[in-house]
Amino acid sequence: MRVSQVTFSAGETTPELHARSDMTFSDRGLSYALNGIILKTGGFAKRWGLRYIADCADHARASRLIPYDFGIEQTYILELAHEAIRFVTMGGQLVDGGSPVEVASPYQESERFDIGYASTRDVTKLVHLNHAPRDLNRLGATNWSLTLSSFSVSQTAPGTLTLSTTTDADSDSVALPATYVVTAVNDESGEESLASAEATQAGSGTTDAVLVEWDHVAGANFYNVYKESSGVFGYVGRASGESGTVSFVDNGFDPDETQTPPTTRNPFDSASNYPEAVTFHQQRIVYGSTLNDPTLIETSRTALFSNFTRSEPSQATDAISVSVLGRRVQRVRHMISLRDLLILTTNGQWALRGTDGNVLTPSQTEIESQSERGTSAVVPIISGQAAIYVMRDGRTVRDIGYAFSDDAYIGKDLTAASEHLLDGRTIVDMAYQETRDQVVWFVLSDGTGLCLTYFPEHEVIAWTRLETNGQLESVAA
């Protein structure tokens, strides 16, 4: 009897499955697969070759590679070397005047795989527990800089307020003394500044009205005026002005104490408060885990990535601060923006969402456990609406994605049929190649690699081995 095998969609499978005729692995798997990839159609092809691009920054030390995608035609690989960052693009190393473009950095060789990153526009955010957060700025084709991240309000507050009483026959009386502050609102971003210094109109009894004046602040097109009542500054009105002196007349308005000026706040202001994870979600930047509080999640104000201010009582756009709490300490390792903010910790996976499915706000947050499977430091990758991550043991790979039928994030063990490929080894890095055959490349602790074709729509979860004449240190696509 002649038996033919028409697909290799299970890849190299563990020897324990070879006799399992009751499982589909027996007629879809391979006993050994080296330096090839399983196509998403089920075929087998030799892997692509390697091409020399450039020397690394320091031959005596290892580097890490991470991707930076500015657009379809502007993609980069960043080499995170010992105390330096270099760049690869368009199939070659980025050079200026014949020398590699290089940016000095504080990151040591031993820290390279613990650096978290997230990119937006021309900026890549870099975080590490031992260093203050930094921005890698793309200023031009060959002009890059690494600067400390800002956690301050960029819009300048108004200066000194000038107060005076005025007569207004149509006004209600203003009780004296009356104390005011003013904030400036940026014309483009809508960011509200911190409050000006307080100014008080002295006196007793009442007056018809109080005139509040101040100088125009660059970047602002209108101003919010707040008046003190029982120790709280409540909103009383708005003034506009784009030059010279700006003014507002308080005709006896009652302060709205549900709308108050923002207060300054920097949650990452000391060495023990530097975050180790970063991402973007619902128009906010999100940081996670510090030495002081490994369970912490901090978000910026909406669309203001340097602004972590709050108001009292809170507003919907205020910065958000929550903790991931469970039976064990839930140190935040990674955060992924999917349907919700998926939080991967050392002891589980959690979903952070707005109450009843609404958008996240300070008053509408809920964190729900999805599983109790710990996560390693290896940065997960996203394929469609699923994330692929390495478990805490360093050798089990799983996916996780939202399932409408379960109303939860579920997944499967992608290494279950090929566990032998990781015997005595762990995963140190991985990268997702979306084009062509949806391949995930892995670097192992012994310098070899693995290739996973991940095409769950056609039930193709297939592993092959990757070996070269050298040692693999890192991978990016």
Side-chain angles (χ1 to χ4, degrees), residues 37 166 200 207 299 345 369 416 433:
I37 65 169
T166 184
T200 300
T207 186
T299 86
T345 75
S369 174
Q433 181 185 321

Side-chain angles (χ1 to χ4, degrees), residues 394-465:
R395 60 186 307 275
T396 303
V397 180
R398 296 187 64 91
D399 65 1
I400 185 169
Y402 181 77
F404 181 80
S405 58
D406 295 270
D407 191 24
Y409 287 85
I410 62 174
K412 54 188 173 294
D413 184 347
L414 304 181
T415 46
S418 306
E419 290 182 336
H420 67 295
L421 294 175
L422 285 150
D423 285 346
R425 301 180 290 179
T426 56
I427 296 168
V428 298
D429 199 12
M430 66 177 179
Y432 181 51
Q433 181 185 321
E434 184 177 17
T435 56
R436 298 187 69 169
D437 287 289
Q438 296 184 202
V439 171
V440 186
W441 300 95
F442 295 84
V443 173
L444 304 183
S445 54
D446 65 352
T448 63
L450 295 174
C451 172
L452 167 65
T453 303
Y454 181 77
F455 195 57
E457 296 95 320
H458 289 185
E459 298 183 352
V460 179
I461 307 294
W463 293 85
T464 59
R465 303 170 186 255

Side-chain angles (χ1 to χ4, degrees), residues 138-159:
R138 178 184 177 273
L139 305 174
T142 59
N143 186 8
W144 298 70
S145 69
L146 186 65
T147 59
L148 291 172
S149 300
S150 171
F151 296 102
S152 61
V153 180
S154 59
Q155 176 59 54
T156 304

Side-chain angles (χ1 to χ4, degrees), residues 235-248:
Y235 175 80
V236 291
R238 173 176 293 184
S240 61
E242 297 183 359
S243 63
T245 300
V246 187
S247 63
F248 172 83

